[in-house]
Amino acid sequence: MKNIFGILCLSFFIPGCGNNKNIANQKNESNEIPQSSTSGQSKTMLQNGVDFFATGSQPTNWQLTINYDDTVRFNADDGLAIKFAYNQLKKEFTKDKTVYSVKIKMGNVVINILEKICTVPTIREVFKKEVTVSLNSITYSGCGKFLADDNLNNKWTLEKIGNTPIDPTEYNKIPSVEFNIVEGTISGNDGCNTIGGKIEVQGKRIQFSQLFSTKMACNKKSIEKIIAEQINGNIVSYYFKDNKLYLYLPDDNLLGFKKQTAQQK
């Protein structure tokens, strides 16, 4: 699992794990995908483990979901319904494009995800990804997006590192972060210096890039080293428990945050 804050890698997706079964032309309940990308259904998909969602109407209505820890599912109104494990995919990453490919019994599946503003005529939403899904000579085109937990859109103060609560008196100011999912930004402080940068929430993970920091000297603690060694240039997993935010670092350590109160803000 991965990390948070830094000048980031270029990859758009993270490998997961799953079973090794290809299943084609199945229409059972386990292969069904919610039929729109409204916020309520996006939340349900995220709770069910979906990290990426795409939909389109060319050449017919279709939908795609990707769970990095499990399964890729594709359904179309023409009757095509396939699923396969995410870890079966061959992956190619460039700055603005991700290409997934896999060979199944029905033929070769290729998924192209391009960084480009995109709209679907039947949905009142602007997507940030242009998506095509091809099976042999048939190509389905549409738009896609990463899902995100809106609970991230808050100001969070550091409460513990690992299982050890921090002592606020040891810092010039308590380390804190604020996420803005829509704007794709993070801001805050490391206990000494102000930090900021860009983020892309990718389902249950966060990609941080172009992070910057002021360079003020401090005579007390900061989490600058954690940011530099465990967060900068990486992707982290996050989760919520008891209304607190946890970031899972690559060294298997945790940063635990609590929401700032009105008085703290």
Side-chain angles (χ1 to χ4, degrees):
M1 301 235 179
K2 307 266 179 187
N3 6 46
I4 167 176
F5 282 88
I7 304 168
L8 204 21
C9 56
L10 299 175
S11 63
F12 298 138
F13 297 87
I14 314 172
C17 57
N19 58 53
N20 292 318
K21 295 181 179 179
N22 289 330
I23 302 177
N25 287 329
Q26 289 199 6
K27 294 186 179 180
N28 55 40
E29 183 177 353
S30 65
N31 203 31
E32 291 180 355
I33 298 173
Q35 292 303 304
S36 81
S37 63
T38 63
S39 58
Q41 287 175 323
S42 292
K43 182 177 180 180
T44 299
M45 285 190 285
L46 184 65
Q47 291 172 342
N48 289 333
V50 175
D51 296 298
F52 185 82
F53 168 79
T55 187
S57 57
Q58 297 297 325
T60 186
N61 292 329
W62 61 269
Q63 294 191 335
L64 168 77
T65 60
I66 299 177
N67 179 334
Y68 296 142
D69 297 318
D70 193 358
T71 306
V72 179
R73 303 173 188 267
F74 178 86
N75 285 347
D77 283 358
D78 59 11
L80 180 63
I82 57 177
K83 70 176 183 180
F84 41 84
Y86 176 79
N87 62 8
Q88 290 179 259
L89 290 169
K90 178 182 177 182
K91 308 165 185 73
E92 299 177 19
F93 304 112
T94 61
K95 182 178 180 180
D96 297 318
K97 187 177 182 180
T98 298
V99 180
Y100 291 141
S101 59
V102 64
K103 186 175 182 179
I104 61 175
K105 290 182 179 180
M106 297 179 65
N108 295 315
V109 177
V110 179
I111 302 169
N112 286 281
I113 302 172
L114 179 66
E115 293 290 313
K116 185 178 180 180
I117 298 298
C118 181
T119 58
V120 177
T122 56
I123 298 177
R124 294 180 178 179
E125 182 173 358
V126 177
F127 295 82
K128 295 183 179 181
K129 317 286 184 184
E130 185 177 85
V131 180
T132 61
V133 181
S134 300
L135 175 62
N136 299 327
S137 61
I138 303 174
T139 297
Y140 302 84
S141 59
C143 308
K145 66 176 182 178
F146 286 112
L147 303 184
D149 193 323
D150 289 338
N151 287 319
L152 278 171
N153 277 327
N154 282 289
K155 292 183 178 180
W156 301 90
T157 56
L158 185 66
E159 187 176 44
K160 61 173 62 177
I161 300 174
N163 293 320
T164 305
I166 69 165
D167 181 353
T169 64
E170 295 181 340
Y171 296 82
N172 283 351
K173 47 190 173 183
I174 302 175
S176 65
V177 293
E178 181 176 5
F179 297 98
N180 187 316
I181 298 174
V182 175
E183 297 296 328
T185 60
I186 180 176
S187 58
N189 76 84
D190 62 9
C192 174
N193 284 289
T194 298
I195 60 171
K198 295 183 178 181
I199 63 168
E200 181 176 54
V201 182
Q202 302 176 350
K204 301 176 290 293
R205 300 163 174 86
I206 309 172
Q207 173 179 295
F208 290 78
S209 62
Q210 300 178 29
L211 206 101
F212 61 85
S213 171
T214 57
K215 302 298 181 182
M216 183 175 68
C218 297
N219 57 4
K220 290 189 175 183
K221 283 186 176 181
S222 78
I223 59 171
E224 179 184 6
K225 185 175 180 181
I226 293 176
I227 294 173
E229 295 182 358
Q230 298 297 323
I231 292 170
N232 184 28
N234 290 300
I235 298 173
V236 302
S237 296
Y238 72 93
Y239 66 90
F240 297 95
K241 183 178 180 181
D242 299 327
N243 293 318
K244 296 181 180 181
L245 168 66
Y246 293 90
L247 302 177
Y248 191 52
L249 304 180
D251 63 355
D252 293 330
N253 209 347
L254 287 173
L255 294 181
F257 297 82
K258 62 181 180 180
K259 283 186 182 180
Q260 285 190 8
T261 63
Q263 290 78 9
Q264 289 174 314
K265 296 179 182 180

